[in-house]
Amino acid sequence: MSLLTLPEIRADHRLGAAQFDLRPDALERWSPEVRAADDDAETSISIYDAIGESWDGAGVTSKRIAAALRAIGKRPVKVNVNSPGGDFFEGVAIYNLLREHEAKVTVRVMGLAASAASIIAMSGDEILMGDGAFLMIHNAWAIAIGNRHDMADAATRLEPFDAAMAQVYSSRTGLSVAQVSALMDKETWINSTQAVEDGFATGVLERAEVSKDAKAHVDRKALALVEASMARAGHSRSVRRDAFKALFSGKPGAAGDPARPSAGIETAALLHSLTATLKG
């Protein structure tokens, strides 16, 4: 179990019509190529993607983190983070898994820990920030679909999640829940210096500990931005995922050739729709 006494976050998936999705502002500031210079595959976990499973099976999930922790066993673990956030429930599940780990957990924010990824970062007994790294905290952010009753219900259901997150940040930093809630209301970006001063982090990383991987698949960011634009336009998650599956015959970011658009009139129409969404 974590060396610190951190509160558990309890959350379930009964959120009516609301869907948790990536925030466009976090995506725009995410640099996917930022990595740890000294990854030790045996005792480290890399969170270098969006939180939650994406349409092509990629993304960081609690299932994958649980498997990694089982392989590490009771040894101390380093968690290297560079993520724009994503699915709230998956982020909560990962946070709880790490806080329950029986040895020391060191979280290293290499570039960005935004939204759900910032919750994950709070699970560390030690939290270290890279040069130029940022945390971003905000209230639970979701895409809600439905009538006014669905919207009102979604807002009501989001409130306890905001309270739970505020309690985690408060326990981590020593700031009051009211102070943290104000920061969440303002959707605050916190740099490494401020994170240490306010208690969101315990120290900074040496510049040599952060590197950039030229082979990192930045196309993942581009596709995530497209999907975020579709979400803002009101397209449901299932519609967005079906569109991507129809557009691409391969898996973006996978080894080998990048994904190529599939041929056909329907695909061309989908591509036109996506382009129009971005321009809008």
Side-chain angles (χ1 to χ4, degrees), residues 76-161:
V77 61
K78 289 181 181 178
V79 183
N80 300 316
V81 180
N82 181 28
S83 171
D87 188 276
F88 174 82
F89 295 111
E90 285 294 333
V92 165
I94 293 169
Y95 163 86
N96 286 329
L97 284 169
L98 291 171
R99 66 179 282 280
E100 293 169 0
H101 186 60
E102 296 186 53
K104 182 180 179 180
V105 174
T106 300
V107 173
R108 306 196 300 174
V109 180
M110 314 310 299
L112 178 63
S115 192
S118 72
I119 287 290
I120 293 171
M122 296 301 101
S123 65
D125 300 295
E126 186 175 20
I127 304 171
L128 303 176
M129 300 282 291
D131 184 36
F134 277 87
L135 296 169
M136 190 271 273
I137 67 173
H138 61 86
N139 294 318
W141 194 87
I143 302 295
I145 299 172
N147 60 35
R148 61 186 175 87
H149 301 295
D150 296 318
M151 300 297 181
D153 182 61
T156 299
R157 290 175 180 268
L158 286 171
E159 289 178 4
F161 300 146

Side-chain angles (χ1 to χ4, degrees), residues 29-74:
R29 295 181 66 165
W30 179 43
S31 298
E33 68 275 14
V34 176
R35 298 284 193 271
D38 59 344
D39 272 344
D40 178 0
E42 286 193 2
T43 58
S44 68
I45 294 174
S46 296
I47 298 179
Y48 293 151
D49 205 336
I51 308 303
E53 188 171 72
S54 60
W55 64 272
D56 61 345
V60 181
T61 64
S62 56
K63 182 177 180 180
R64 291 169 182 166
I65 299 301
L69 288 171
R70 285 195 297 271
I72 292 170
K74 297 182 179 180

Side-chain angles (χ1 to χ4, degrees), residues 162-182:
D162 293 340
M165 289 190 292
Q167 185 60 56
V168 169
Y169 295 131
S170 175
S171 296
R172 175 82 252 182
T173 63
L175 298 173
S176 70
V177 170
Q179 288 174 305
V180 171
S181 295

